[in-house]
Amino acid sequence: MSKEKINIVWFKRDLRLKDHQPLKRASESELPALLLYIFESSLVNDPHYDDRHWRFVWESLEKMQQQLADQNLNLLIVYEEAENIFREIRRHYDIEAVFSHEETGIDLTYQRDIRMSGLFKEWDVEWDESPTNAVHRGLMNRNGWRKTWNSIMNQPQQDPDLNQLKRFSADDHLLNQINEEIPNRFKVPNEQFQTGGESKAWEFLESFVHERCANYNASISAPGPARSGCSRLSPYITWGNLSIRQIIQYMDQHYDDAPSKRGLRSFRSRLGWHCHFVQKFESEPRIEFENMNRGYNDIRTEWDEEKFEAWRTGRTGFPMVDACMRSVIATGYLNFRMRAMLVSFLTHHLWLDWPKGSLHLAKQFLDFEPGIHYSQFQMQAGTMGVNTIRIYNPVKQGYDHDPEGTFIREWIDELKEVPSELIHEPWKMSEMEQEMYNCRIGDDYPNPIISDIKESYKHASSILWSKKGSKEVKEENKWILKKHVKKRR
Ligand SMILES: Cc1cc2nc3c(=O)[nH]c(=O)nc-3n(C[C@H](O)[C@H](O)[C@H](O)COP(=O)(O)OP(=O)(O)OC[C@H]3O[C@@H](n4cnc5c(N)ncnc54)[C@H](O)[C@@H]3O)c2cc1C
């Protein structure tokens, strides 16, 4: 008996039903379409990821399921390796085409895509991949990239007509062979984190464009105010609850009535940076594993696990560093400036190499986007070679961006009773003050892990600046600046 012919829409980090070219293409076909999301165990267990990510994905999928059910459609959600599930589907059905978005991700997903591409070719299955947010695969150079990006952002959205999509429900023979059991821990809500799903994403977008953008520029650097003053769209973009084109077009439509046009303009340029970094990562995926500029390979050679542990757990004795770390562990969010400060503290003041730290923060950031994350991490660590070297003083950052210590007190219980004038340098408290404010330094709250922040600054800056002028760094920079672009697949 011949097998039923079907198409498959493979959802990855594009968890929405609007402006979705793969879904649109499937809806225009005569064949029924199996809508599929795969929780891949290798990815779930990868050190970049944490349950917080899969909970966000689960919430997004649940909302999609509800919308699809209204149209009498279904989304098949499985917990399997991609190769296994496609093999199993193929045993039962004749797959004509697989529609999906291109993914610019970590090496693990890239290698998986190479394997899947090989399998689809072998099986004579067409793999129709659509670009994600105007990022191009296999681009030979980035000349004119910005112009093309702008033009794609202005093009009509690719909304599928779900009424047109030919209904498909998998038969029991297939369902009996696959694992639909999704770990319960992904399904337990946690109010500390942003909730996934298209409708939530729209709530954030609308409130930002109509109200919150008024405070954008003023609050962007301070960790407390940034939580409401910034758009907070990053997890929705990373997991594809919204396309960047949807955001830009909505913003343009409402630009004239927005409470801060300047705020919206700054925000718009950051959406461009987002895609720019992902595009760069598309051609330089090696920065997941090595310094962008290899001239810096020999600078941070010693490792100190105790110092790393103190940084990782928010127990360095520097209140602003510890508050930021504890807050991102608890909520998955931190604003740009404070992310940069955490990296700066690790790589400059503690003088520890970046890879382990970058894995730790990837796990914490609900919006973990490999292209931005690795570029930013290396920029802050000073290993890109072509950027200005910035070394943040964590004490000054505290005085500047949390002058009253409100954010610090929110995240560091031990410092709750310490008054504003002492909270940024608690080690300066006298014995009596420590007694009075219920915080014994070295006991309740750690002694600072670095005895002299000015010395650690000097040490880092002298090495980084002398390296920057060195022959090997300059040679590498020439190559980097040539915008050499390696074709991926
Ligand atoms: C070490 C480090 C790691 C980072 N890792 C990530 C990451 O994994 N994922 C991520 O989305 N952002 C990352 N960022 C960039 C930035 O911190 C976040 O995008 C931002 O804080 C998210 O909050 P928001 O959505 O309220 O931002 P908004 O200020 O409202 O910006 C809107 C959008 O623009 C993009 N954006 C903002 N700032 C940047 C930037 N500097 N570079 C590129 N795109 C930007 C994001 O998509 C963001 O959602 C990182 C920054 C640093 C310093």
Side-chain angles (χ1 to χ4, degrees):
M1 206 175 75
S2 70
K3 295 188 247 177
E4 185 185 3
K5 227 177 208 210
I6 61 165
N7 289 325
I8 296 178
V9 179
W10 180 9
F11 289 93
K12 295 176 173 177
R13 290 202 281 127
D14 51 354
L15 304 177
R16 63 178 181 275
L17 300 174
K18 290 272 171 72
D19 197 19
H20 199 288
Q21 192 172 66
L23 197 54
K24 186 170 195 291
R25 293 223 170 123
S27 73
E28 287 161 358
S29 160
E30 290 303 313
L31 295 180
L34 188 170
L35 311 184
L36 177 69
Y37 182 82
I38 315 168
F39 282 98
E40 295 159 273
S41 50
S42 49
L43 201 56
V44 167
N45 296 317
D46 183 90
H48 291 91
Y49 289 101
D50 178 64
D51 284 356
R52 65 189 61 196
H53 299 119
W54 308 117
R55 182 170 55 234
F56 191 92
V57 168
W58 174 256
E59 289 161 350
S60 307
L61 294 171
E62 260 193 319
K63 310 246 166 66
M64 285 165 70
Q65 288 267 35
Q66 286 159 9
Q67 278 177 272
L68 289 165
D70 290 345
Q71 310 279 336
N72 211 13
L73 296 166
N74 182 41
L75 173 64
L76 182 64
I77 305 172
V78 297
Y79 192 91
E80 290 272 7
E81 287 303 334
E83 287 101 312
N84 297 348
I85 180 75
F86 278 105
R87 273 184 206 285
E88 201 53 47
I89 296 172
R90 189 168 168 268
R91 272 185 353 107
H92 298 268
Y93 297 95
D94 179 359
I95 310 170
E96 172 89 2
V98 173
F99 298 96
S100 69
H101 273 111
E102 284 169 349
E103 181 175 10
T104 307
I106 54 172
D107 191 56
L108 189 109
T109 57
Y110 178 48
Q111 297 302 337
R112 172 257 275 147
D113 281 351
I114 290 176
R115 289 195 301 279
M116 290 315 305
S117 164
L119 279 179
F120 291 147
K121 271 194 197 113
E122 186 189 316
W123 298 341
D124 203 20
V125 170
E126 183 198 352
W127 191 6
D128 183 329
E129 287 187 284
S130 302
T132 298
N133 291 325
V135 169
H136 299 277
R137 180 145 289 176
L139 201 67
M140 293 313 283
N141 66 62
R142 285 193 289 275
N143 300 338
W145 182 83
R146 175 64 69 164
K147 207 167 151 218
T148 315
W149 184 83
N150 274 323
S151 123
I152 294 173
M153 290 302 132
N154 287 326
Q155 283 167 13
Q157 294 180 24
Q158 299 290 302
D159 287 338
D161 180 355
L162 293 179
N163 288 315
Q164 239 187 302
L165 199 73
K166 309 288 167 311
R167 191 169 184 279
F168 171 86
S169 33
D171 65 26
D172 288 345
H173 297 296
L174 171 65
L175 295 180
N176 290 338
Q177 300 300 319
I178 59 180
N179 183 8
E180 287 185 272
E181 291 246 328
I182 308 306
N184 268 331
R185 59 184 201 280
F186 301 168
K187 300 180 183 172
V188 181
N190 185 330
E191 282 176 7
Q192 290 271 42
F193 293 84
Q194 288 176 269
T195 313
E198 272 178 285
S199 54
K200 277 283 163 202
W202 277 101
E203 279 174 30
F204 276 93
L205 176 58
E206 285 164 7
S207 68
F208 181 71
V209 169
H210 299 297
E211 298 159 33
R212 292 185 295 118
C213 70
N215 302 320
Y216 186 62
N217 293 93
S219 58
I220 197 163
S221 299
R227 286 188 290 192
S228 55
C230 287
S231 74
R232 305 296 306 275
L233 282 168
S234 54
Y236 301 105
I237 300 174
T238 287
W239 299 102
N241 289 168
L242 283 176
S243 70
I244 290 192
R245 178 162 54 197
Q246 284 177 294
I247 300 174
I248 294 221
Q249 293 190 1
Y250 183 82
M251 198 172 68
D252 286 351
Q253 270 165 24
H254 298 279
Y255 182 76
D256 288 340
D257 310 320
S260 167
K261 295 186 177 45
R262 183 171 161 246
L264 281 195
R265 283 198 302 273
S266 315
F267 167 71
R268 193 186 217 277
S269 60
R270 282 171 177 78
L271 295 172
W273 299 353
H274 176 114
C275 301
H276 161 85
F277 279 121
V278 176
Q279 183 71 63
K280 275 185 86 169
F281 190 64
E282 185 56 39
S283 42
E284 293 287 1
R286 67 183 178 88
I287 65 168
E288 180 181 342
F289 304 105
E290 62 176 20
N291 291 331
M292 174 72 144
N293 186 312
R294 284 168 283 224
Y296 291 96
N297 281 358
D298 60 352
I299 58 169
R300 296 180 182 103
T301 48
E302 281 172 33
W303 186 254
D304 184 328
E305 189 63 27
E306 235 174 80
K307 283 187 178 158
F308 179 69
E309 232 4 62
W311 176 83
R312 193 183 71 82
T313 54
R315 296 196 54 77
T316 65
F318 286 88
M320 200 58 169
V321 172
D322 295 343
C324 286
M325 187 59 90
R326 294 185 198 186
S327 96
V328 74
I329 291 172
T331 68
Y333 179 72
L334 194 61
N335 62 325
F336 174 83
R337 171 67 69 99
M338 295 301 128
R339 294 186 196 205
M341 182 195 67
L342 284 183
V343 179
S344 178
F345 192 80
L346 174 78
T347 58
H348 300 139
H349 293 292
L350 299 183
W351 202 243
L352 296 176
D353 207 1
W354 57 265
K356 266 182 113 176
S358 108
L359 275 182
H360 171 67
L361 285 184
K363 229 178 160 70
Q364 311 311 322
F365 294 156
L366 189 58
D367 59 24
F368 169 53
E369 175 65 62
I372 304 178
H373 189 73
Y374 278 105
S375 307
Q376 279 296 346
F377 225 96
Q378 293 219 28
M379 276 166 78
Q380 304 307 331
T383 51
M384 292 295 255
V386 287
N387 297 89
T388 317
I389 296 163
R390 266 208 195 100
I391 303 177
Y392 292 95
N393 176 334
V395 177
K396 182 174 182 304
Q397 290 300 310
Y399 284 115
D400 288 353
H401 300 299
D402 187 29
E404 298 303 318
T406 320
F407 181 77
I408 292 176
R409 272 186 220 98
E410 187 181 345
W411 294 106
I412 309 184
D413 248 14
E414 308 93 287
L415 298 175
K416 253 200 163 83
E417 295 174 38
V418 178
S420 307
E421 61 277 15
L422 291 168
I423 203 159
H424 297 291
E425 298 173 272
W427 55 87
K428 289 188 175 165
M429 285 195 288
S430 66
E431 286 287 317
M432 207 169 78
E433 284 167 333
Q434 295 186 32
E435 200 67 47
M436 224 156 60
Y437 303 128
N438 244 327
C439 177
R440 300 211 65 80
I441 299 300
D443 189 359
D444 298 320
Y445 185 67
N447 268 308
I449 192 171
I450 296 168
S451 51
D452 188 344
I453 201 83
K454 287 195 181 117
E455 276 306 311
S456 54
Y457 175 95
K458 265 196 223 153
H459 171 258
S461 112
S462 70
I463 298 179
L464 290 170
W465 279 107
S466 74
K467 263 284 169 195
K468 202 172 164 104
S470 71
K471 194 165 164 256
E472 68 265 34
V473 165
K474 283 183 174 163
E475 280 301 311
E476 280 270 313
N477 273 350
K478 272 191 215 154
W479 182 78
I480 293 166
L481 288 170
K482 262 192 212 152
K483 297 190 176 175
H484 173 90
V485 180
K486 198 169 66 203
K487 201 165 161 47
R488 255 197 153 184
R489 177 161 57 79

